[in-house]
Amino acid sequence: MRKREFLIGVAVLALSVVAGGEGVAASNDPVDAAALAALRPGMPMSAVEKAMGSAWRTPAPHKGGVIDILENSYGVIVRIDRQGLIGRIDFNSRFMHTIAGVPMGISLADLRATVPDIEIGEESATSQGARFATKQLPEGTLSLRITFDKVYGIAIFNPKAEYAEPSAPPYPAVSGAPGAPFSDPNLKLAVMSSLLFAKALDIGTPQQLASHVLGRTVDLEQDGYELIPEALDYLVRYPLTDEQLAAVERIEFDGSGAVYPYAWYFWGGEESVFDIKDISGLRFCPNLKSFSVNSMIDKVDIRALVPLKKLERVDINVPSENVDALLDLPSLRKAGRFSPTPARHDIFEELERRGVQVY
Protein backbone atom coordinates (compact mmCIF):
# COMPACT_ATOMS: atom_id res chain seq x y z
CA MET A 1 0.00 0.00 0.00
CA ARG A 2 1.63 3.25 -1.10
CA LYS A 3 -1.11 5.83 -0.98
CA ARG A 4 0.52 9.01 0.26
CA GLU A 5 -2.18 10.12 2.67
CA PHE A 6 -1.99 6.76 4.46
CA LEU A 7 1.77 6.83 4.60
CA ILE A 8 1.83 10.33 6.01
CA GLY A 9 -0.52 9.23 8.77
CA VAL A 10 1.71 6.25 9.55
CA ALA A 11 4.79 8.48 9.57
CA VAL A 12 3.19 10.93 11.99
CA LEU A 13 2.19 8.11 14.33
CA ALA A 14 5.67 6.61 14.16
CA LEU A 15 7.31 9.92 14.93
CA SER A 16 5.04 10.40 17.93
CA VAL A 17 6.17 7.02 19.24
CA VAL A 18 9.81 7.71 18.43
CA ALA A 19 9.62 10.96 20.37
CA GLY A 20 10.04 9.01 23.55
CA GLY A 21 12.60 6.53 22.19
CA GLU A 22 15.67 6.34 20.04
CA GLY A 23 14.48 9.05 17.65
CA VAL A 24 15.23 11.71 20.26
CA ALA A 25 18.84 12.80 20.34
CA ALA A 26 20.84 11.19 23.10
CA SER A 27 21.53 13.03 26.32
CA ASN A 28 25.20 13.51 25.39
CA ASP A 29 24.29 15.51 22.29
CA PRO A 30 25.49 19.13 22.22
CA VAL A 31 21.93 20.49 22.21
CA ASP A 32 20.82 21.61 25.68
CA ALA A 33 17.16 20.54 26.00
CA ALA A 34 16.74 22.32 29.34
CA ALA A 35 18.01 25.57 27.81
CA LEU A 36 15.64 25.13 24.88
CA ALA A 37 12.71 24.68 27.29
CA ALA A 38 13.75 27.89 29.07
CA LEU A 39 13.73 30.07 25.94
CA ARG A 40 11.26 32.94 26.16
CA PRO A 41 10.17 35.91 24.04
CA GLY A 42 12.44 38.90 24.52
CA MET A 43 15.63 36.88 24.91
CA PRO A 44 18.44 37.62 22.45
CA MET A 45 19.23 35.29 19.56
CA SER A 46 22.47 34.39 21.35
CA ALA A 47 20.37 32.42 23.88
CA VAL A 48 19.13 30.20 21.04
CA GLU A 49 22.67 29.76 19.75
CA LYS A 50 23.89 28.71 23.18
CA ALA A 51 21.06 26.21 23.67
CA MET A 52 21.64 24.64 20.25
CA GLY A 53 25.37 24.22 20.72
CA SER A 54 27.18 22.80 17.70
CA ALA A 55 23.84 22.29 15.91
CA TRP A 56 23.54 26.07 15.53
CA ARG A 57 23.53 27.67 12.09
CA THR A 58 22.89 31.37 11.59
CA PRO A 59 19.44 31.70 9.98
CA ALA A 60 19.53 32.65 6.31
CA PRO A 61 18.23 36.17 5.55
CA HIS A 62 15.36 34.87 3.42
CA LYS A 63 13.84 32.83 6.26
CA GLY A 64 12.30 35.80 8.04
CA GLY A 65 13.98 35.02 11.34
CA VAL A 66 12.77 31.41 11.48
CA ILE A 67 15.23 29.01 13.12
CA ASP A 68 13.87 25.55 12.35
CA ILE A 69 17.04 23.45 12.33
CA LEU A 70 15.75 21.37 15.26
CA GLU A 71 12.16 21.03 14.04
CA ASN A 72 12.41 17.35 13.05
CA SER A 73 14.95 16.27 15.67
CA TYR A 74 14.04 18.04 18.91
CA GLY A 75 10.70 19.50 17.83
CA VAL A 76 11.61 23.16 18.35
CA ILE A 77 11.15 26.19 16.10
CA VAL A 78 12.20 29.69 17.16
CA ARG A 79 11.39 32.93 15.35
CA ILE A 80 13.49 36.05 15.78
CA ASP A 81 11.78 39.43 15.44
CA ARG A 82 13.01 42.58 13.69
CA GLN A 83 14.77 43.66 16.90
CA GLY A 84 16.90 40.53 16.98
CA LEU A 85 14.97 39.11 19.93
CA ILE A 86 13.00 35.92 20.30
CA GLY A 87 9.40 36.59 19.27
CA ARG A 88 8.02 33.08 19.33
CA ILE A 89 8.99 29.54 20.33
CA ASP A 90 7.05 26.48 19.17
CA PHE A 91 7.51 23.01 20.64
CA ASN A 92 5.93 19.93 19.04
CA SER A 93 5.43 16.43 20.43
CA ARG A 94 9.05 15.42 19.77
CA PHE A 95 10.06 17.71 22.64
CA MET A 96 9.02 15.57 25.59
CA HIS A 97 9.93 18.04 28.30
CA THR A 98 8.18 20.56 30.55
CA ILE A 99 7.74 24.09 29.22
CA ALA A 100 6.44 26.89 31.46
CA GLY A 101 5.17 24.31 33.94
CA VAL A 102 3.35 22.23 31.31
CA PRO A 103 4.74 18.76 30.51
CA MET A 104 4.43 17.83 26.85
CA GLY A 105 1.91 15.01 26.52
CA ILE A 106 0.03 15.85 29.72
CA SER A 107 -3.62 14.84 29.75
CA LEU A 108 -6.38 17.42 29.72
CA ALA A 109 -7.54 16.33 33.17
CA ASP A 110 -4.04 16.66 34.64
CA LEU A 111 -3.57 19.98 32.87
CA ARG A 112 -6.63 21.39 34.63
CA ALA A 113 -5.17 20.30 37.97
CA THR A 114 -1.60 21.39 37.22
CA VAL A 115 -2.40 24.79 35.70
CA PRO A 116 -5.83 25.67 37.16
CA ASP A 117 -5.82 29.23 35.83
CA ILE A 118 -5.33 28.25 32.18
CA GLU A 119 -8.17 29.04 29.78
CA ILE A 120 -9.22 25.96 27.82
CA GLY A 121 -11.29 26.43 24.70
CA GLU A 122 -14.05 24.26 23.32
CA GLU A 123 -13.35 21.42 20.92
CA SER A 124 -13.01 22.63 17.34
CA ALA A 125 -16.05 22.23 15.14
CA THR A 126 -13.86 21.59 12.09
CA SER A 127 -10.99 19.54 13.55
CA GLN A 128 -12.17 16.57 15.59
CA GLY A 129 -10.57 16.23 19.01
CA ALA A 130 -8.63 19.52 18.77
CA ARG A 131 -8.79 22.49 21.09
CA PHE A 132 -6.50 25.23 22.36
CA ALA A 133 -5.66 26.58 25.79
CA THR A 134 -4.01 29.88 26.67
CA LYS A 135 -2.45 31.66 29.60
CA GLN A 136 -0.72 35.02 29.90
CA LEU A 137 2.85 34.82 31.15
CA PRO A 138 5.10 37.77 32.04
CA GLU A 139 7.12 37.02 28.87
CA GLY A 140 4.18 36.55 26.53
CA THR A 141 1.26 34.28 25.68
CA LEU A 142 1.37 30.58 26.41
CA SER A 143 -0.67 28.59 23.87
CA LEU A 144 -1.28 24.86 24.03
CA ARG A 145 -2.58 22.65 21.24
CA ILE A 146 -4.63 19.81 22.71
CA THR A 147 -5.46 16.81 20.54
CA PHE A 148 -7.74 14.06 21.86
CA ASP A 149 -7.28 15.33 25.42
CA LYS A 150 -3.47 15.46 25.41
CA VAL A 151 -1.11 18.38 24.93
CA TYR A 152 0.87 17.84 21.71
CA GLY A 153 2.00 21.38 20.99
CA ILE A 154 3.22 24.27 23.15
CA ALA A 155 4.00 27.80 21.98
CA ILE A 156 5.10 30.95 23.80
CA PHE A 157 4.96 34.19 21.83
CA ASN A 158 4.94 37.94 22.03
CA PRO A 159 1.75 39.02 20.24
CA LYS A 160 3.28 42.43 19.48
CA ALA A 161 6.44 41.08 17.83
CA GLU A 162 7.11 42.10 14.23
CA TYR A 163 8.99 39.89 11.83
CA ALA A 164 10.80 40.24 8.54
CA GLU A 165 8.83 38.73 5.67
CA PRO A 166 10.23 35.36 4.54
CA SER A 167 11.00 34.87 0.87
CA ALA A 168 12.21 32.19 -1.50
CA PRO A 169 15.80 31.00 -1.03
CA PRO A 170 18.45 31.62 -3.68
CA TYR A 171 18.18 28.76 -6.17
CA PRO A 172 21.48 27.52 -7.61
CA ALA A 173 21.71 26.75 -11.30
CA VAL A 174 21.30 23.07 -12.13
CA SER A 175 24.20 21.11 -13.51
CA GLY A 176 25.13 17.65 -14.69
CA ALA A 177 23.05 14.73 -15.82
CA PRO A 178 19.69 13.99 -14.19
CA GLY A 179 20.35 12.24 -10.89
CA ALA A 180 24.05 13.08 -10.68
CA PRO A 181 26.03 11.82 -8.86
CA PHE A 182 23.51 8.97 -8.66
CA SER A 183 22.71 6.84 -11.68
CA ASP A 184 19.06 6.67 -10.61
CA PRO A 185 17.41 10.12 -10.42
CA ASN A 186 14.77 8.78 -8.06
CA LEU A 187 17.43 7.65 -5.60
CA LYS A 188 18.62 11.23 -5.58
CA LEU A 189 15.10 12.32 -4.66
CA ALA A 190 15.12 9.94 -1.68
CA VAL A 191 18.45 11.40 -0.58
CA MET A 192 17.05 14.91 -0.92
CA SER A 193 14.11 13.90 1.26
CA SER A 194 16.59 12.91 3.95
CA LEU A 195 18.39 16.24 3.65
CA LEU A 196 15.13 18.19 3.77
CA PHE A 197 14.02 16.34 6.90
CA ALA A 198 17.39 17.02 8.54
CA LYS A 199 17.19 20.71 7.52
CA ALA A 200 20.46 20.28 5.61
CA LEU A 201 18.86 21.40 2.34
CA ASP A 202 16.80 24.52 1.72
CA ILE A 203 14.68 24.68 -1.42
CA GLY A 204 11.96 26.86 0.05
CA THR A 205 8.35 25.73 -0.18
CA PRO A 206 6.84 23.67 -3.01
CA GLN A 207 5.06 26.80 -4.22
CA GLN A 208 8.26 28.85 -4.21
CA LEU A 209 10.14 26.19 -6.17
CA ALA A 210 7.33 25.82 -8.69
CA SER A 211 7.19 29.59 -9.18
CA HIS A 212 10.95 29.65 -9.70
CA VAL A 213 11.12 26.93 -12.34
CA LEU A 214 8.00 28.11 -14.18
CA GLY A 215 8.88 31.78 -14.03
CA ARG A 216 5.46 32.83 -12.78
CA THR A 217 3.40 32.85 -9.63
CA VAL A 218 1.99 29.39 -8.99
CA ASP A 219 -1.02 28.41 -6.90
CA LEU A 220 -0.53 24.73 -6.08
CA GLU A 221 -4.08 24.48 -4.80
CA GLN A 222 -4.96 24.79 -8.48
CA ASP A 223 -1.82 23.57 -10.26
CA GLY A 224 -0.66 20.85 -7.86
CA TYR A 225 -2.78 17.96 -9.11
CA GLU A 226 -0.36 17.00 -11.87
CA LEU A 227 3.36 16.38 -11.98
CA ILE A 228 5.29 19.57 -12.74
CA PRO A 229 8.03 18.31 -15.14
CA GLU A 230 10.09 21.48 -14.76
CA ALA A 231 10.17 21.07 -10.98
CA LEU A 232 11.14 17.40 -11.25
CA ASP A 233 13.90 18.23 -13.72
CA TYR A 234 15.25 20.90 -11.39
CA LEU A 235 15.26 18.54 -8.42
CA VAL A 236 17.06 15.66 -10.13
CA ARG A 237 19.70 18.08 -11.47
CA TYR A 238 20.09 20.08 -8.26
CA PRO A 239 23.82 20.43 -7.41
CA LEU A 240 24.24 18.56 -4.14
CA THR A 241 27.59 19.22 -2.46
CA ASP A 242 29.96 16.67 -0.99
CA GLU A 243 29.23 18.23 2.40
CA GLN A 244 25.50 17.60 1.97
CA LEU A 245 26.06 14.01 0.87
CA ALA A 246 28.28 13.46 3.89
CA ALA A 247 25.48 14.80 6.13
CA VAL A 248 23.06 12.04 5.08
CA GLU A 249 22.70 9.61 7.98
CA ARG A 250 19.22 8.17 7.36
CA ILE A 251 17.44 7.26 4.14
CA GLU A 252 13.91 5.92 3.90
CA PHE A 253 12.12 4.78 0.76
CA ASP A 254 8.55 5.85 1.46
CA GLY A 255 5.87 7.75 -0.41
CA SER A 256 5.62 10.31 2.38
CA GLY A 257 9.12 11.61 1.67
CA ALA A 258 9.54 15.36 2.03
CA VAL A 259 10.71 15.97 -1.53
CA TYR A 260 7.80 14.59 -3.55
CA PRO A 261 5.33 17.50 -3.03
CA TYR A 262 7.91 19.74 -4.71
CA ALA A 263 7.44 17.87 -7.97
CA TRP A 264 3.82 16.78 -7.57
CA TYR A 265 2.07 18.59 -4.76
CA PHE A 266 -1.00 16.36 -4.51
CA TRP A 267 0.67 13.11 -5.54
CA GLY A 268 -1.46 10.28 -4.19
CA GLY A 269 1.21 7.57 -4.19
CA GLU A 270 -0.38 5.23 -6.72
CA GLU A 271 1.75 6.16 -9.74
CA SER A 272 5.26 4.72 -10.06
CA VAL A 273 6.87 7.94 -11.30
CA PHE A 274 9.17 8.13 -8.26
CA ASP A 275 10.01 4.41 -8.00
CA ILE A 276 13.68 3.54 -7.51
CA LYS A 277 15.45 0.96 -9.67
CA ASP A 278 19.13 1.24 -8.74
CA ILE A 279 20.48 1.79 -5.21
CA SER A 280 24.18 1.39 -6.02
CA GLY A 281 24.56 5.16 -5.66
CA LEU A 282 24.10 4.87 -1.90
CA ARG A 283 27.89 4.65 -1.79
CA PHE A 284 27.94 8.43 -2.30
CA CYS A 285 26.48 8.80 1.21
CA PRO A 286 29.48 7.52 3.21
CA ASN A 287 28.06 8.36 6.63
CA LEU A 288 24.72 6.59 6.18
CA LYS A 289 23.69 4.91 9.43
CA SER A 290 20.10 3.84 8.79
CA PHE A 291 18.50 2.45 5.61
CA SER A 292 14.77 1.73 5.64
CA VAL A 293 12.54 0.53 2.81
CA ASN A 294 8.76 0.62 3.04
CA SER A 295 7.89 0.91 -0.64
CA MET A 296 8.92 2.51 -3.95
CA ILE A 297 11.28 -0.29 -5.03
CA ASP A 298 10.49 -3.84 -6.16
CA LYS A 299 13.58 -5.56 -4.78
CA VAL A 300 16.65 -4.60 -2.77
CA ASP A 301 20.08 -6.06 -3.53
CA ILE A 302 21.82 -6.06 -0.15
CA ARG A 303 25.23 -6.11 -1.88
CA ALA A 304 24.73 -2.43 -2.71
CA LEU A 305 25.00 -1.67 1.02
CA VAL A 306 28.45 -3.23 1.51
CA PRO A 307 30.38 0.00 0.80
CA LEU A 308 28.54 1.68 3.68
CA LYS A 309 30.94 0.99 6.53
CA LYS A 310 28.99 3.08 9.06
CA LEU A 311 25.58 1.51 8.37
CA GLU A 312 24.06 0.46 11.70
CA ARG A 313 20.44 -0.33 10.85
CA VAL A 314 18.79 -2.02 7.87
CA ASP A 315 15.01 -2.32 7.74
CA ILE A 316 13.58 -3.88 4.56
CA ASN A 317 9.87 -4.40 3.92
CA VAL A 318 10.10 -5.53 0.28
CA PRO A 319 11.71 -8.59 -1.36
CA SER A 320 15.49 -8.67 -1.09
CA GLU A 321 18.36 -10.67 -2.50
CA ASN A 322 21.94 -11.50 -1.47
CA VAL A 323 20.94 -11.17 2.16
CA ASP A 324 24.23 -12.81 3.15
CA ALA A 325 25.85 -9.45 2.34
CA LEU A 326 24.54 -8.28 5.73
CA LEU A 327 27.48 -10.19 7.16
CA ASP A 328 29.80 -7.76 5.38
CA LEU A 329 28.44 -4.68 7.18
CA PRO A 330 30.93 -4.09 10.03
CA SER A 331 28.82 -1.54 11.93
CA LEU A 332 25.45 -3.31 11.65
CA ARG A 333 23.53 -3.30 14.94
CA LYS A 334 19.91 -3.89 13.88
CA ALA A 335 18.34 -5.79 10.99
CA GLY A 336 14.65 -6.39 10.48
CA ARG A 337 11.62 -7.23 8.36
CA PHE A 338 13.22 -9.86 6.13
CA SER A 339 11.33 -12.93 4.88
CA PRO A 340 12.12 -15.91 7.12
CA THR A 341 13.47 -18.48 4.60
CA PRO A 342 15.68 -21.35 5.85
CA ALA A 343 18.83 -19.93 4.21
CA ARG A 344 18.28 -16.55 5.77
CA HIS A 345 17.66 -18.17 9.14
CA ASP A 346 21.31 -19.22 9.28
CA ILE A 347 22.43 -15.73 8.27
CA PHE A 348 20.40 -14.10 11.01
CA GLU A 349 21.62 -16.61 13.58
CA GLU A 350 25.17 -15.59 12.70
CA LEU A 351 24.23 -11.92 12.97
CA GLU A 352 22.77 -12.53 16.43
CA ARG A 353 25.99 -14.28 17.46
CA ARG A 354 27.76 -11.09 16.46
CA GLY A 355 25.47 -9.02 18.69
CA VAL A 356 23.16 -7.69 15.97
CA GLN A 357 19.55 -7.22 17.06
CA VAL A 358 17.39 -9.17 14.60
CA TYR A 359 13.66 -8.59 14.53
Side-chain angles (χ1 to χ4, degrees):
M1 184 180 298
R2 297 191 308 169
K3 190 169 182 63
R4 184 166 174 259
E5 291 86 352
F6 170 78
L7 289 169
I8 289 175
V10 172
V12 170
L13 176 60
L15 285 169
S16 296
V17 174
V18 166
E22 65 184 21
V24 171
S27 59
N28 60 354
D29 276 5
V31 174
D32 187 338
L36 289 173
L39 293 176
R40 295 292 184 271
M43 289 183 175
M45 186 166 65
S46 59
V48 187
E49 180 178 0
K50 184 177 180 180
M52 290 179 59
S54 61
W56 168 259
R57 295 196 301 270
T58 302
H62 70 272
K63 293 185 72 70
V66 174
I67 303 173
D68 60 356
I69 302 166
L70 301 181
E71 178 184 8
N72 294 326
S73 53
Y74 284 82
V76 181
I77 300 176
V78 181
R79 190 164 189 186
I80 304 299
D81 67 15
R82 290 184 180 274
Q83 306 302 315
L85 305 176
I86 296 175
R88 182 182 178 103
I89 316 102
D90 285 272
F91 303 89
N92 67 33
S93 58
R94 293 185 182 91
F95 194 79
M96 297 303 292
H97 299 274
T98 298
I99 302 102
V102 180
M104 184 70 74
I106 190 173
S107 70
L108 180 58
D110 288 341
L111 175 65
R112 295 182 192 277
T114 303
V115 192
D117 57 342
I118 197 164
E119 298 180 13
I120 301 175
E122 297 295 328
E123 183 174 326
S124 170
T126 58
S127 182
Q128 184 180 8
R131 69 179 75 203
F132 288 89
T134 59
K135 177 183 177 180
Q136 293 304 312
L137 303 177
E139 309 91 338
T141 301
L142 172 69
S143 176
L144 312 180
R145 188 182 73 253
I146 302 168
T147 306
F148 295 112
D149 293 340
K150 284 195 175 182
V151 172
Y152 285 119
I154 300 175
I156 306 175
F157 61 92
N158 173 10
K160 297 181 180 180
E162 297 181 356
Y163 306 97
E165 193 68 26
S167 60
Y171 288 107
V174 296
S175 61
F182 307 94
S183 59
D184 188 333
N186 285 342
L187 176 60
K188 182 173 184 175
L189 293 180
V191 170
M192 293 178 77
S193 275
S194 175
L195 289 169
L196 286 168
F197 187 82
K199 303 294 182 178
L201 176 65
D202 184 2
I203 54 176
T205 66
Q207 182 164 320
Q208 288 170 338
L209 179 66
S211 297
H212 170 73
V213 299
L214 294 175
R216 60 178 175 83
T217 301
V218 175
D219 181 0
L220 290 179
E221 294 296 326
Q222 299 294 326
D223 301 330
Y225 289 91
E226 300 290 339
L227 177 72
I228 301 176
E230 295 87 349
L232 178 59
D233 181 68
Y234 183 84
L235 291 169
V236 298
R237 297 175 62 212
Y238 187 94
L240 293 177
T241 66
D242 290 341
E243 182 181 12
Q244 286 172 322
L245 294 175
V248 177
E249 295 188 350
R250 293 172 175 80
I251 292 177
E252 182 175 13
F253 293 176
D254 191 295
S256 64
V259 76
Y260 303 117
Y262 286 86
W264 191 340
Y265 191 64
F266 287 118
W267 179 55
E270 296 88 351
E271 298 82 358
S272 60
V273 63
F274 300 123
D275 278 4
I276 299 161
K277 304 297 183 184
D278 179 8
I279 66 170
S280 61
L282 289 174
R283 68 185 185 277
F284 293 110
C285 302
N287 295 316
L288 189 66
K289 295 181 180 179
S290 175
F291 178 59
S292 176
V293 178
N294 293 321
S295 60
M296 305 186 74
I297 189 170
D298 292 332
K299 182 179 290 187
V300 172
D301 187 345
I302 304 299
R303 290 178 301 184
L305 306 181
V306 173
L308 302 169
K309 302 307 179 184
K310 297 183 180 181
L311 191 61
E312 299 176 356
R313 179 169 183 160
V314 177
D315 198 359
I316 309 293
N317 200 30
V318 300
S320 53
E321 58 186 2
N322 298 307
V323 179
D324 58 322
L326 291 171
L327 300 172
D328 297 322
L329 300 176
S331 299
L332 189 65
R333 297 293 177 265
K334 294 183 180 181
R337 293 199 288 184
F338 289 86
S339 302
T341 64
R344 293 178 179 182
H345 183 72
D346 293 340
I347 294 168
F348 288 127
E349 281 189 342
E350 173 59 25
L351 288 172
E352 287 181 324
R353 280 194 290 270
R354 298 181 182 184
V356 176
Q357 180 183 346
V358 177
Y359 57 97

